[in-house]
Structures are given as C-alpha cells and as structure tokens.
Amino acid sequence: MIEARRLHILRAVADHRTVTAAAAALYLTPSAVSQQLTALEQETGHRLVERGAKGVRLTPAGEILLGHTHAVLAQLERAEAELAAYSSGSAGTVTVAAFATGIGLVVAPALARLAVTAPGIHVRVQDAEGDASLPMVLDRQVDIAVAVEYRGAPAADDPRLTHVPLYAEPFDAVVPVTHRLADADEVPLAELAKDPWIGQYPGNPCHDVVVLACENAGFEPRLEHSSDDFRAVVALASADAGVALVPRSALIGMDLTGVVVRPVDGIAPTRRVFAAVRRGAEGHPLIRPVLDALARAATVE
C-alpha cells in the first residue's frame, strides 16, 4: 500500500530538484526525505529517483507515479473539502501569500468584505512575490497564492494547481522629466533601446515581463539599477538614473515628482494576476469564500 505522505514527498523532490531543498520546504531533514523515498521505492517495487552531481531526477517509473500523484493529492484535497463542508467549515484560518501591490489592490479589500460576509474566517497574509508564493502553495506552507504570470510559471492547466484569474493591468513607461520623450503622448519601447534601465531582479515576475517586452521591441534592456521596490525604481528615475516600466497600479499614490508617466505605444506589456490553490482545494468551505472575495475585489477594482 502506497502512503499518501510519501507521494507528497516525491512531488516535492520533483519540484525542487534536490533532496535538501525538498526537505527544507517540507520542514524535514534530508535524511528523513531520503528514507521516505527509499520506503516508497520498496512499496512500489521500482527505482523512482536517480541522484547525480546536479541534483535528483525522476526515473521513467518515477514520472509515471508522479502523474498519478497529482491526481491522488488533488482527490485528497477534495475529500478534505467535503469533510470540512460536512462539519460546516464556517470558522478557521486561511493563509494567503501575495505580492505587495496585490495585497493593496485585492487582498486587503477582500479581507474587509470577508469580515462582513464570513466573520468566522481568519485570513493570515504573507508578502511574497509570485515566483515564491506558488511553491509555497505546493509545499502546503500557505493555502492561496496571489501571483503573476511569468515565464516558467506553472501553466493554467498544471495538474497540481487551480487558477482563478483576477485582473490584468498594463505597464507604463516612467522616464525623467528631462528625458527626450517626456513630452510624447505615448512612448515607443524601441526608442528606449539605448537608455540605461531600472528594473527588478531576475526571478521577479515583473523582470520577465519587462525583458520580454523589450525583446519583442527588438532589443535587450541595459539594466543599470535593480530593485524590487517600485518606489525605489521611480525615485531612481526621478534622479535621471534611467527609464523603467512599472505596473499602473503600483504608481497609485506614489510621489511622481521628477518623472513623467506615459502609456507604451502599441501593445503594452501586461501583468496578469491570478489566485492559485492546490487542485482539489478550491471547493473547501474556508478557501472558496476567500477566492470569491478576491475575485469580487478584482472586479470592483
């Protein structure tokens, strides 16, 4: 008989590529993870993982079992949801990981709404970028991630997750008031090819959006300055340190002295925001109201 907790460990190893990283995500020791993998191999009668200098990879038998693992764990999430519904599930804690702008734009309004519509649900919020929040959901560290689409992110049809689209917003060009394009109604990205750029660190979903937009305009941005804080990005632009692309909602209420904000000419790069939960958990009586409140907040915004 295959134990479900060992399937969860197998998926964590497949996701993180090393036993050490999987162990850290699961709050286990590497030796405990290795022992559980060995026990799983004994249960199945197949070698499931191969260890190498660059980490761990699944064998063909491991890949077969991983495909079933996604379905089994999703069904267990559904079972927990139905049992919670049977027990009323009207009170409890839901943990949400979201990036800073998303917290202000949809998470905080959702909390205000839930305080009225579902007062028994306590929501705990953690600030985390999208590339960090999705693994946190998969590793059961949080229940919901509010994340941004980016290259390399799990796709909408990923068997491990259920996606709930929330909103999409354009990036605007932010240039110093002394910039040659400061008086333009719209800024063509190609005209910024030779400028120094201010952007997010690699790994931040917004970094991918900006780099891809510049690539589509025919150039690679020369990133002179890096910050994941949009206030710092705008401050550097106001000091004539470079140009930037910033999501429109991140500019709300910000001091824009010294910069000019203009729409991008043509098809603007877009930040697409969604909520994600482990597949099967979307019907949980605690999680469903939070997802609904997030979607309602996004619609109102």
Side-chain angles (χ1 to χ4, degrees):
M1 180 70 69
I2 298 175
E3 291 192 20
R5 64 190 177 96
R6 290 176 181 152
L7 294 179
H8 183 61
I9 288 173
L10 177 71
R11 185 160 81 178
V13 169
D15 287 343
H16 293 281
R17 305 293 184 181
T18 71
V19 168
T20 300
L26 298 173
Y27 300 101
L28 297 172
T29 64
S31 62
V33 170
S34 294
Q35 290 171 7
Q36 292 299 317
L37 288 175
T38 298
L40 185 59
E41 289 179 329
Q42 293 173 346
E43 288 174 346
T44 61
H46 291 278
R47 186 180 181 185
L48 302 175
V49 298
E50 292 181 347
R51 295 170 175 81
K54 296 183 178 180
V56 176
R57 70 180 185 87
L58 298 189
T59 65
E63 293 287 355
I64 291 172
L65 184 58
L66 181 64
H68 290 286
T69 293
H70 297 325
V72 169
L73 295 183
Q75 190 60 40
L76 287 175
E77 293 282 357
R78 295 186 188 98
E80 290 181 7
E82 289 189 20
L83 287 171
Y86 178 75
S87 300
S88 80
S90 59
T93 299
V94 176
T95 306
V96 179
F99 57 98
T101 309
I103 291 174
L105 205 61
V106 294
V107 177
L111 263 62
R113 178 176 178 81
L114 287 166
V116 176
T117 61
I121 298 178
H122 172 67
V123 180
R124 183 179 293 119
V125 181
Q126 298 183 23
D127 189 337
E129 293 295 339
D131 58 322
S133 62
L134 293 175
M136 291 168 72
V137 168
L138 292 172
D139 293 333
R140 303 182 70 88
Q141 297 173 8
V142 300
D143 301 303
I144 300 173
V146 175
V148 178
E149 290 182 5
Y150 61 96
R151 287 189 290 190
D157 60 353
D158 189 294
R160 302 169 297 172
L161 295 168
T162 293
H163 282 217
V164 178
L166 295 179
Y167 65 92
E169 61 173 328
F171 282 64
D172 288 327
V174 178
V175 302
V177 292
T178 57
H179 195 273
R180 63 188 181 280
L181 295 176
D183 293 330
D185 292 332
E186 297 180 330
V187 174
L189 282 186
E191 295 296 320
L192 302 177
K194 295 183 179 180
D195 285 88
W197 278 73
I198 311 158
Q200 287 66 54
Y201 287 101
N204 186 309
C206 288
H207 173 89
D208 286 344
V209 174
V210 171
V211 170
L212 182 59
C214 293
E215 289 175 354
N216 290 337
F219 70 97
E220 181 178 347
R222 178 164 56 90
L223 287 169
E224 292 284 342
H225 310 283
S226 297
S227 175
D228 288 336
D229 187 331
F230 289 118
R231 290 171 298 182
V233 170
V234 171
L236 287 168
S238 69
D240 205 15
V243 300
L245 290 176
V246 177
R248 187 166 292 171
S249 66
L251 296 168
I252 297 174
M254 192 180 295
D255 181 5
L256 300 176
T257 304
V259 298
V260 171
V261 178
R262 293 288 183 264
V264 173
D265 184 30
I267 299 176
T270 301
R271 176 160 74 170
R272 303 185 187 281
V273 179
F274 62 94
V277 298
R278 292 180 295 278
R279 189 171 292 271
E282 62 275 6
H284 193 286
L286 294 178
I287 292 175
R288 184 74 256 169
V290 179
L291 290 175
D292 291 342
L294 289 170
R296 177 62 181 270
T299 301
V300 171
E301 182 61 32

